Amino acid sequence: MTTTRNLNRICLLGAVLLLLPSVVQAQFNYTNNGNGTCTITLYTGSSGAVSIPGAINGLVVTGIGASAFFFMDVTSVTIPSTVSNIGAYAFEDDALLTSIYFEGNAP
């Protein structure tokens, strides 16, 4: 009986761990650009520090859409070197935003 309970717990833990990357990626709504890339259209996560992934579901993130982080109260944003386009007002009304770091920038 105890072995069955332990096995069930291990299976449940494994299922939760498999879902974790999906949860992180679920913080971003995006559009598929049709060429293996995507543009983030909306951030749905919590306030605080945000690190934009270099890829979502196998699509390279190359853009941040207009107003994607509108009024989200993020404090800092790390943008991967894959991003080459940031839309108008992408970070509009983010009063707590104090820094944006572009990965790949030389010091």
Side-chain angles (χ1 to χ4, degrees):
M1 186 69 136
T2 302
T3 303
T4 302
R5 280 189 211 159
N6 287 340
L7 184 57
N8 287 340
R9 288 179 183 160
I10 290 170
C11 288
L12 179 61
L13 178 61
V16 168
L17 291 175
L18 286 175
L19 292 175
L20 283 178
S22 297
V23 172
V24 171
Q25 292 179 354
Q27 295 178 347
F28 299 97
N29 292 352
Y30 62 93
T31 57
N32 184 333
N33 297 331
N35 59 357
T37 68
C38 68
T39 297
I40 291 174
T41 56
L42 181 66
Y43 175 67
T44 60
S46 59
S47 59
V50 175
S51 183
I52 296 173
I56 299 175
N57 292 330
L59 299 171
V60 176
V61 177
T62 58
I64 300 170
S67 301
F69 285 80
F70 177 72
F71 203 65
M72 288 304 302
D73 287 335
V74 295
T75 56
S76 66
V77 177
T78 299
I79 299 174
S81 60
T82 57
V83 171
S84 59
N85 185 32
I86 299 175
Y89 309 106
F91 299 96
E92 182 179 18
D93 287 332
D94 287 321
L96 301 179
L97 183 60
T98 58
S99 65
I100 296 177
Y101 175 72
F102 294 90
E103 289 182 340
N105 280 3

